[in-house]
Amino acid sequence: MERETEQSPKTKMESLRTICDREFSIQQQKIDSFTASFPSSLNSIKYLALDTAQNHAKLAKMKANLREAEDELVKVLAAKTRKEAKQMATRDSISAVKARVEELKRTVQVQRSRREEYGAIISRQSLALSKTEEDAEHEIEENGGIQEAISWYNRVLGFQIEGGHGVKFTFNDINIKNPKEEYSFTIRHANDAYSLLDCNPNLNGIKDLINELNRTNDLFGFVRTIREKFQEAAALGLQPQSTTFHQDCSTISLSGPALSVSSNRSESSAKKNEHHIPLQDANRQFKKFSHGSKSPAKARSRFMNYLE
């Protein structure tokens, strides 16, 4: 029993040795096989590395070619874009030229129409100019009539007219006792209306006379009426007072459309006739002055403008 026990480890050792020898043989064979195949594997790896390097070179070359192709593509696209932009600009230019041509055609038509219109205007202006020249000549003649009428009034019954802010009428030969004593009134014509600036001496009802003047525009009748009122005031002993009313003006020795009308006074008939102007003569002179005017009102307004 003990013998069997002693042989058993030995047997086991032999068995293990046999196994080890067999494994060693196997591993030796593997090593020999690996050693035999290593050079070929190394050569294969070298070939693979060389091939890989070649492939890398080819890849780099392909990348360079690709970059060149991309650059060429960009250049081509840029050239195409420029060409398209140039074509669009050309089309726009053609459209603009066509529009300009149409505009010029319309302008030519408008100019022709304007030329005809201007021709008609020039024709009308020529006619108007001719009429204006005729009116100017007529107005010169009328101004000559004014001077002639003024000269007549001055010869018959002289007084002074001062033109400035208004027109001041100064009468002499009102007071028979003092013929040099001056009676005056000042009126102004503005905005188609008359206004009284001063009256010396002051007369009753003068505002009503101004209203009547604005209603009728009868300046010469107003002047005659005022002179009559002055004569009546002088007959009653009312004398003009010294006045502080002055205006920047120039004194003109002119005539007035004035005349005397008989009043209830205590003078002799001979003295009254010395200052009496026949109404028919005065009206005849005014008709001569206003002859050719469109209306007596226009003649009176023109007379006021002439004085102012």
Side-chain angles (χ1 to χ4, degrees):
M1 189 82 178
E2 292 176 0
R3 198 174 205 178
E4 292 178 0
T5 305
E6 291 177 358
Q7 290 179 353
S8 178
K10 188 177 181 180
T11 304
K12 288 181 180 179
M13 291 295 292
E14 291 178 355
S15 175
L16 289 173
R17 181 183 297 175
T18 302
I19 292 172
C20 287
D21 291 339
R22 189 171 52 251
E23 287 292 331
F24 180 77
S25 298
I26 293 171
Q27 293 298 326
Q28 187 67 37
Q29 290 176 0
K30 287 182 178 180
I31 292 170
D32 292 340
S33 175
F34 176 75
T35 303
S37 64
F38 179 74
S40 62
S41 296
L42 184 60
N43 291 332
S44 177
I45 290 172
K46 287 181 179 181
Y47 290 140
L48 287 174
L50 182 61
D51 188 50
T52 300
Q54 292 176 353
N55 289 334
H56 278 296
K58 290 180 180 179
L59 181 61
K61 186 176 181 180
M62 291 177 66
K63 286 182 178 179
N65 293 333
L66 181 60
R67 283 194 295 269
E68 292 178 359
E70 288 177 350
D71 293 339
E72 290 295 330
L73 179 61
V74 171
K75 292 179 180 179
V76 170
L77 291 176
K80 182 181 179 182
T81 302
R82 288 195 297 272
K83 187 175 181 181
E84 290 177 351
K86 187 176 181 180
Q87 289 177 352
M88 292 179 63
T90 303
R91 287 195 293 268
D92 293 342
S93 178
I94 293 172
S95 300
V97 170
K98 289 182 179 179
R100 180 61 178 169
V101 170
E102 294 297 327
E103 183 180 358
L104 289 175
K105 288 181 180 179
R106 291 192 296 270
T107 302
V108 169
Q109 293 177 354
V110 170
Q111 292 296 331
R112 287 177 180 174
S113 301
R114 287 183 177 177
R115 183 178 63 183
E116 295 175 356
E117 182 181 355
Y118 291 159
I121 291 174
I122 291 173
S123 178
R124 291 195 299 269
Q125 291 296 329
S126 297
L127 294 176
L129 180 61
S130 299
K131 188 176 183 302
T132 301
E133 291 176 351
E134 293 177 358
D135 293 341
E137 293 177 357
H138 186 62
E139 186 172 354
I140 292 172
E141 294 177 357
E142 289 182 350
N143 289 337
I146 292 175
Q147 291 291 349
E148 185 178 352
I150 288 175
S151 299
W152 184 88
Y153 281 116
N154 196 35
R155 288 193 305 270
V156 175
L157 185 62
F159 64 97
Q160 290 182 340
I161 295 179
E162 298 178 2
H165 181 63
V167 178
K168 181 179 181 181
F169 294 83
T170 303
F171 298 94
N172 295 320
D173 296 331
I174 296 294
N175 190 345
I176 297 176
K177 296 179 180 179
N178 186 6
K180 293 184 178 181
E181 193 172 40
E182 294 182 348
Y183 292 71
S184 65
F185 71 93
T186 305
I187 60 173
R188 183 170 183 263
H189 183 264
N191 299 324
D192 295 330
Y194 293 94
S195 60
L196 181 70
L197 303 182
D198 181 62
C199 183
N200 186 25
N202 192 22
L203 299 176
N204 294 327
I206 188 67
K207 292 184 179 180
D208 294 335
L209 294 177
I210 290 294
N211 293 333
E212 181 68 15
L213 172 62
N214 284 315
R215 187 181 66 83
T216 62
N217 200 27
D218 186 4
L219 175 62
F220 293 92
F222 175 78
V223 175
R224 288 195 301 269
T225 303
I226 291 294
R227 189 173 189 278
E228 292 173 7
K229 294 290 185 181
F230 282 156
Q231 289 176 334
E232 293 174 0
L236 296 175
L238 183 62
Q239 297 180 350
Q241 304 296 323
S242 60
T243 179
T244 58
F245 179 80
H246 296 284
Q247 59 178 350
D248 294 334
C249 61
S250 58
T251 302
I252 310 169
S253 179
L254 298 174
S255 67
L259 59 145
S260 171
V261 179
S262 300
S263 59
N264 295 326
R265 292 179 294 181
S266 60
E267 308 92 33
S268 63
S269 299
K271 288 185 178 181
K272 285 194 293 183
N273 290 332
E274 290 177 0
H275 302 283
H276 181 75
I277 308 301
L279 180 62
Q280 293 180 352
D281 292 343
N283 288 336
R284 188 182 307 112
Q285 286 301 321
F286 173 68
K287 289 180 180 179
K288 185 177 182 180
F289 155 70
S290 61
H291 176 70
S293 298
K294 293 182 179 179
S295 66
K298 181 179 179 181
R300 296 180 188 108
S301 296
R302 189 162 55 83
F303 179 75
M304 287 294 295
N305 294 332
Y306 180 83
L307 295 177
E308 291 181 344

